[in-house]
Amino acid sequence: ISNRVQKGLAVYHLNDEGNASDGEVNCHGFAWDSVNAESGTSRYKGNMLFDVAFKQSLYDRGYVKNVPGAPMCGCVEQMPTVTRADCTKITSVAETYTLSATLQSPTLDVKLSDSGVQYGPCDAGEDLAGHYKDVNGDNAP
């Protein structure tokens, strides 16, 4: 069901076999820590956007169209209301830092020199709404 279309309500029915009658409709998203800007989910949210929108959706699955009346990609407040959305989460972050100092300067220079981010599906049975609550705890609406 989508309720954010001009002048009405759009309902996408399933056929007798339980498949979408007008082709596949997929809703997939991700969440990040909205309070702690230094958390891995917050720092790498741009990387996760690329992975979900381009690698998984476009490259791997070939999804190239939006649901009529809805953006193909957007924030929750811009998307249609759905009954369930799949989600992707960051499963691990590896960072390598380079430390340097000179005898002339009493400071230590620390730079992020390499990082690797691994993604995976949310836990079995967990949808985007549940994952958002897990990531944001008491700050979730």
Side-chain angles (χ1 to χ4, degrees):
I1 294 178
S2 171
N3 70 353
R4 293 203 174 103
V5 294
Q6 291 183 352
K7 299 180 184 176
L9 178 72
V11 179
Y12 298 93
H13 293 285
L14 300 178
N15 62 20
D16 293 337
E17 290 85 38
N19 299 320
S21 59
D22 292 324
E24 284 191 36
V25 176
N26 179 275
C27 184
H28 195 118
F30 61 94
W32 63 90
D33 187 333
S34 62
V35 176
N36 182 2
E38 294 301 314
S39 73
T41 61
S42 184
R43 289 190 1 241
Y44 291 102
K45 62 187 172 221
N47 300 63
M48 199 160 27
L49 170 64
F50 183 85
D51 184 76
V52 169
F54 293 103
K55 185 187 178 301
Q56 290 184 41
S57 297
L58 180 63
Y59 184 75
D60 292 347
R61 296 187 182 109
Y63 297 155
V64 294
K65 294 183 180 180
N66 60 311
V67 173
M72 186 167 178
C73 184
C75 295
V76 170
E77 60 272 8
Q78 300 168 321
M79 300 306 284
T81 301
V82 297
T83 54
R84 186 180 192 292
D86 291 333
C87 67
T88 293
K89 66 180 181 177
I90 292 177
T91 56
S92 70
V93 174
E95 298 176 327
T96 303
Y97 292 87
T98 302
L99 307 174
S100 60
T102 62
L103 294 174
Q104 295 81 13
S105 174
T107 61
L108 179 64
D109 188 29
V110 180
K111 291 185 180 179
L112 178 64
S113 56
D114 189 30
S115 63
V117 183
Q118 297 294 316
Y119 308 96
C122 290
D123 298 331
E126 183 179 39
D127 66 353
L128 181 58
H131 178 62
Y132 179 86
K133 288 178 183 172
D134 285 347
V135 170
N136 287 286
D138 293 336
N139 298 312

